[in-house]
Amino acid sequence: MSIKAIAAKLFAKKIHLQTQKWVSKPVETQQKVFEDLIKQARETAFGKDHNFSKIKTFKDFSAQVPVRDYEALKPYVDRVVKGEENILWKGKPLYFAKTSGTTSGAKYIPLTAASMPYHIEAARNAILSYIHETGKADFVDGKMIFLQGSPILEEKNGIKLGRLSGIVAHFVPKYLMKNRMPSWETNCIEDWETKVNAIVEETITENMSVISGIPSWVQMYFEKLEQKTNKPVGDIFRNFNLFIYGGVNYEPYRAKFENLIGRKVDSIELFPASEGFFAYQDSQHEKGMLLLLNSGIFYEFIKADEFYTENPKRYTIGEVVLNMNYVLIISTNAGLWGYNIGDTVQFTSLKPYRVIVSGRIKHYISAFGEHVIGKEVESALQLAMQNSNISINEFTVAPQITPKEGLPYHEWFIEFENEPEKLEDFALQIDDEMRKQNAYYDDLIVGKVLRKLVITKVSKNGFQDYMKSIGKLGGQNKLPRLANDRKIADYFENRAQNKENR
């Protein structure tokens, strides 16, 4: 074992002991974060508008600060973007993480001197936690690749802005720079396909030991490596044994990845966002990710099925229960207050507090009152593929409310790598799993309101073509697993019709 690997194990032990201090006092840790946030922002414009000087308890806070999404907080953010100081947090932000997807165009999420270090520490600690638990540290001697957005930053009224992953690239510790790939020049390539091709050329002869990124885009990288060499990725990179990912559930991709790699590799799941780094997988044996309670973020939770009711109850960490679907609400040292990030989570453990991301509050199907969520479709698909050679590249689900004939149904658009022998049988297997997981869906099938789901095959690279068509190929962009409308479905229907008309 190298000196570097030995040092990594010692450092991992130190960080583990530090982590256990706040893990053992979760409620007290969150209370301390809450009090510090209120104190620090008391003299900001937001703090004055919401009577922070009079807030002593969470009850006071929830009475003064309503739950908001980006659109509702935007008047304050706009003032920050214009260059005003002391609006949401003290002074000015260091950066804006620029994202898309709102009704008013780009979102500008502030990153402050107080919040930025936690993004870096959390990613580091996730790897150190893995080292401490498994004792595996030899990978630190190999090359590590992080598939991410361009680090080239723009500037707006004296504040730099870019994609979060591009901003984070400026904070890579010096001791990792020699091991880190791709090169700065390659990382700056904006076009995703061009960038992946350049990464293949740059890495193909290297000793890659850690690969990180959103699964769908790492898959694209793996496929290009395989096409170029006619070898599985595990033969190209014999010391590659750790995959780090975030953004989407890895399970639907796992079989495909293991086929591309040629063997199993360990994986670490992360839960990062522009708004904060919320959790990371701290155990290879326990389900869920450790919720980071001491990272300058105060968490609230609203039951998902109550979210759209008037004045839903807001729960703190000490009040949550296992397996309940909660909307995640945050207040942070970047100046987000009572902020709905749009994700839903479920707790898999309360000692320590571990979560899984169960979906998006806006990404669900409830055209008939079934309220199907992302976790359910992912689990149903995974269970249906068990003990088979079926593998998929990507999928999404949409309701078909007005079919040409018969009852309405849920339509599953799936891009297969290995297809089932009988598509109808596979659809029935998924449908059975869906009915076990969602009682409302089962009632609709039994009551003949819906018929069983229908699978529509998507051609090779069809989802990549879709993401490219909307300008969201690569980087941090993710395909929605399901939607209550047919925007994505319409794209594939129109594409199929155009092929027929040729």
Side-chain angles (χ1 to χ4, degrees):
M1 184 175 287
S2 69
I3 292 174
K4 193 173 182 180
I6 293 169
K9 291 181 78 169
L10 292 172
F11 189 35
K13 183 177 181 180
K14 178 184 176 181
I15 295 301
H16 173 74
L17 292 172
Q18 290 178 1
T19 301
Q20 293 311 301
K21 289 180 180 178
W22 62 260
V23 164
S24 64
K25 298 179 179 179
V27 175
E28 295 93 327
T29 298
Q30 276 285 275
Q31 181 63 25
K32 187 176 179 182
V33 170
F34 171 75
E35 291 171 359
D36 186 59
L37 290 175
I38 299 300
K39 180 181 177 182
Q40 296 290 334
R42 197 169 284 158
E43 298 304 316
T44 63
F46 188 95
K48 291 175 180 177
D49 289 348
H50 295 80
N51 299 310
F52 274 25
S53 61
K54 295 181 180 179
I55 291 176
K56 304 297 180 186
T57 65
F58 172 66
K59 185 178 180 182
D60 296 338
F61 178 80
S62 57
Q64 294 291 337
V65 180
V67 171
R68 290 177 167 95
D69 59 11
Y70 183 83
E71 296 304 315
L73 197 67
K74 192 172 181 292
Y76 287 99
V77 177
D78 286 346
R79 292 174 64 183
V80 182
V81 172
K82 288 175 183 176
E84 291 187 50
E85 296 187 13
N86 303 314
I87 302 302
L88 288 165
W89 192 254
K90 296 180 296 183
K92 290 184 178 182
L94 291 179
Y95 302 93
F96 288 117
K98 186 179 180 182
T99 65
S100 60
T102 68
T103 54
S104 58
K107 292 196 296 186
Y108 295 92
I109 305 298
L111 297 166
T112 63
S115 71
M116 196 67 222
Y118 288 114
H119 285 270
I120 312 306
E121 285 180 17
R124 179 202 71 186
N125 290 355
I127 297 174
L128 292 173
S129 179
Y130 170 82
I131 292 173
H132 179 76
E133 183 192 34
T134 65
K136 299 175 183 177
D138 288 341
F139 65 84
V140 301
D141 296 314
K143 297 285 187 177
M144 306 179 186
I145 190 168
F146 299 90
L147 294 178
Q148 57 190 190
S150 170
I152 296 174
L153 305 179
E154 304 169 52
E155 196 166 292
K156 202 171 185 72
N157 296 318
I159 301 173
K160 291 181 179 180
L161 63 95
R163 292 177 180 173
L164 175 66
S165 61
I167 293 169
V168 169
H170 292 262
F171 289 83
V172 176
K174 288 182 180 179
Y175 62 84
L176 279 182
M177 287 305 290
K178 288 183 179 179
N179 297 63
R180 187 177 184 278
M181 299 194 80
S183 66
W184 187 266
E185 293 74 21
T186 296
N187 219 11
C188 289
I189 297 172
E190 285 289 345
D191 180 74
W192 188 250
E193 290 180 288
T194 305
K195 183 174 187 168
V196 173
N197 286 330
I199 291 172
V200 167
E201 294 299 325
E202 207 167 82
T203 59
I204 200 165
T205 59
E206 296 288 346
N207 175 28
M208 304 303 303
S209 59
V210 178
I211 295 174
S212 175
I214 292 174
S216 51
W217 307 122
V218 174
Q219 179 179 313
M220 185 177 176
Y221 166 57
F222 284 173
E223 287 173 340
K224 287 181 179 293
L225 282 166
E226 188 181 54
Q227 288 164 12
K228 189 171 180 65
T229 63
N230 290 318
K231 294 180 181 178
V233 173
D235 284 359
I236 303 168
F237 305 137
R238 293 192 177 278
N239 293 317
F240 166 47
N241 284 299
L242 182 59
F243 173 50
I244 303 173
Y245 67 96
V248 298
N249 184 3
Y250 179 42
E251 291 310 317
Y253 298 94
R254 190 177 291 276
K256 167 69 173 176
F257 265 58
E258 289 176 0
N259 183 52
L260 284 167
I261 297 166
R263 53 183 160 81
K264 292 183 177 182
V265 300
D266 287 350
S267 60
I268 302 174
E269 183 175 8
L270 311 178
F271 185 9
S274 300
E275 296 87 350
F277 201 124
F278 307 122
Y280 61 73
Q281 182 181 346
D282 68 320
S283 174
Q284 292 292 301
H285 309 291
E286 302 294 335
K287 186 179 180 183
M289 295 173 283
L290 182 69
L291 189 65
L292 304 180
L293 302 177
N294 72 328
S295 297
I297 302 170
F298 178 72
Y299 299 96
E300 301 175 54
F301 309 90
I302 297 175
K303 293 178 181 178
D305 58 4
E306 297 176 1
F307 184 73
Y308 290 109
T309 63
E310 190 173 351
N311 298 319
K313 181 173 172 53
R314 296 157 69 170
Y315 298 89
T316 56
I317 193 67
E319 301 172 296
V320 296
V321 297
L322 294 173
N323 304 318
M324 175 67 68
N325 205 35
Y326 291 106
V327 180
L328 184 63
I329 309 297
I330 59 170
S331 296
T332 78
N333 54 8
L336 302 175
W337 301 101
Y339 187 86
N340 171 22
I341 66 167
D343 285 320
T344 57
V345 298
Q346 291 180 6
F347 284 89
T348 60
S349 166
L350 303 182
K351 288 184 179 182
Y353 285 93
R354 292 194 182 101
V355 297
I356 58 168
V357 180
S358 53
R360 299 277 294 169
I361 191 63
K362 290 183 179 179
H363 291 169
Y364 61 89
I365 299 177
S366 198
F368 306 91
E370 62 273 43
H371 208 91
V372 168
I373 62 173
K375 176 180 175 290
E376 291 167 347
V377 296
E378 288 171 344
S379 295
L381 183 60
Q382 181 189 344
L383 289 166
M385 290 193 299
Q386 268 185 354
N387 303 317
S388 76
N389 64 351
I390 301 168
S391 62
I392 66 156
N393 291 330
E394 192 58 277
F395 79 100
T396 192
V397 188
Q400 175 52 273
I401 300 171
T402 54
K404 291 179 181 177
E405 57 183 40
L407 293 171
Y409 54 89
H410 285 185
E411 188 169 11
W412 289 56
F413 292 84
I414 303 178
E415 181 183 327
F416 288 100
E417 178 66 21
N418 289 322
E419 292 186 23
E421 288 184 17
K422 294 183 179 179
L423 197 64
E424 294 80 8
D425 290 349
F426 185 55
L428 283 174
Q429 284 181 280
I430 300 174
D431 202 79
D432 286 344
E433 296 297 342
M434 281 299 307
R435 293 174 67 180
K436 290 175 188 174
Q437 292 188 66
N438 188 305
Y440 301 109
Y441 180 74
D442 183 55
D443 287 344
L444 291 167
I445 298 289
V446 172
K448 296 191 173 5
V449 176
L450 291 178
R451 62 179 157 120
K452 293 181 178 182
L453 66 85
V454 173
I455 294 175
T456 297
K457 289 193 292 186
V458 173
S459 58
K460 179 75 171 173
N461 298 324
F463 285 104
Q464 286 183 20
D465 293 343
Y466 167 73
M467 295 297 280
K468 193 172 183 179
S469 76
I470 60 171
K472 290 189 176 183
L473 181 67
Q476 292 167 258
N477 300 308
K478 296 163 285 190
L479 178 80
R481 280 280 175 258
L482 68 179
N484 211 34
D485 57 42
R486 289 187 61 81
K487 288 179 182 177
I488 300 175
D490 288 345
Y491 168 85
F492 289 112
E493 281 190 355
N494 293 335
R495 181 170 159 150
Q497 287 173 5
N498 290 336
K499 282 185 178 180
E500 288 177 9
N501 295 334
R502 283 175 191 167

